[in-house]
Amino acid sequence: MKRISLAIAAITAVVVALLTAPAASAAGVTATFTKVSDWGSGFEGKVTVTNSTTSPLSTWSVALDLPSGYTVTSTWDANHSSSGQTHTFTPPSWTGPLAPGATTSFGFNGSPGNFAGVASCRLNGGSCSGGGGGTVPGAPTGLSGTASASSVSLTWSGTSGATSYNVYRNGTKVGSPAGTSYTDSGLAANTSYSYQVSASNSAGEGAKSTSISV
């Protein structure tokens, strides 16, 4: 009887392990913020993105809401855009998909100091603690531009799954149209500008298109 009880206990332990293993591996994609240093007048932050899924992650978008009065002053290993207190970070153009089980990180400096932490964190539109909130759209194609004396009219091909687009001039976001065209006005005549476009949906912002010079 004792041997039977021990056998049943062993089988139960194996079943429990098999049932809980998928839950542990289902963490999905996560992002973790760490304050590296703080010198009173400013601070350094680091965000680590981890792909705990079994598939490569084509791209990612991390949105951090900073407390009122705080801002990001410089960034490395990520593209950065901001709207109010929301700062969005996406992979640089030279990075590839994030392999299963792999991590990547980026950093930034902010001000002022005595930073208590981010107000909220979103990864691909979902929780930074896992899941990722779906799939971001791919990079738009067919970007072209026509210049006038003080503006540039841009058009591009629509991207599947996109609900809006982001227009970048010389690396800085200048517009977020819902459609596949945008006119960038108030420009200097006889000046060359570089443009890229990305697509967004509820999961976040996708990769940028190939750049053009107008």
Side-chain angles (χ1 to χ4, degrees):
M1 183 65 70
K2 187 174 181 180
R3 290 181 179 178
I4 295 176
S5 298
L6 291 174
I8 292 175
I11 293 172
T12 301
V14 171
V15 172
V16 170
L18 291 173
L19 290 175
T20 57
S25 63
V29 185
T30 60
T32 304
F33 170 80
T34 304
K35 184 172 72 169
V36 178
S37 61
D38 195 314
W39 51 93
S41 60
F43 68 94
E44 178 184 339
K46 177 182 178 181
V47 175
T48 301
V49 179
T50 303
N51 181 11
S52 298
T53 71
T54 57
S55 302
L57 181 67
S58 60
T59 189
W60 46 263
S61 175
V62 175
L64 301 179
D65 292 332
L66 301 189
S68 178
Y70 284 87
T71 188
V72 172
T73 56
S74 62
T75 308
W76 54 94
D77 296 332
N79 296 316
H80 169 238
S81 62
S82 63
S83 177
Q85 292 303 112
T86 300
H87 295 264
T88 302
F89 304 86
T90 55
S93 58
W94 43 263
T95 61
L98 187 61
T103 63
T104 187
S105 62
F106 62 88
F108 61 91
N109 288 334
S111 69
N114 301 313
F115 184 68
V118 298
S120 65
C121 174
R122 295 177 300 283
L123 172 62
N124 288 350
S127 170
C128 282
S129 61
T135 303
V136 296
T141 59
L143 178 62
S144 63
T146 303
S148 67
S150 61
S151 66
V152 170
S153 297
L154 300 167
T155 60
W156 56 90
S157 300
T159 303
S160 177
T163 56
S164 64
Y165 296 89
N166 308 283
V167 178
Y168 293 85
R169 181 213 312 140
N170 296 341
T172 300
K173 185 176 177 179
V174 293
S176 298
T180 56
S181 63
Y182 179 79
T183 298
D184 190 20
S185 305
L187 304 176
N190 301 316
T191 303
S192 179
Y193 294 96
S194 175
Y195 288 95
Q196 288 178 289
V197 177
S198 66
S200 294
N201 59 18
S202 60
E205 181 180 7
K208 294 178 182 177
S209 68
T210 301
S211 64
I212 64 168
S213 181
V214 182

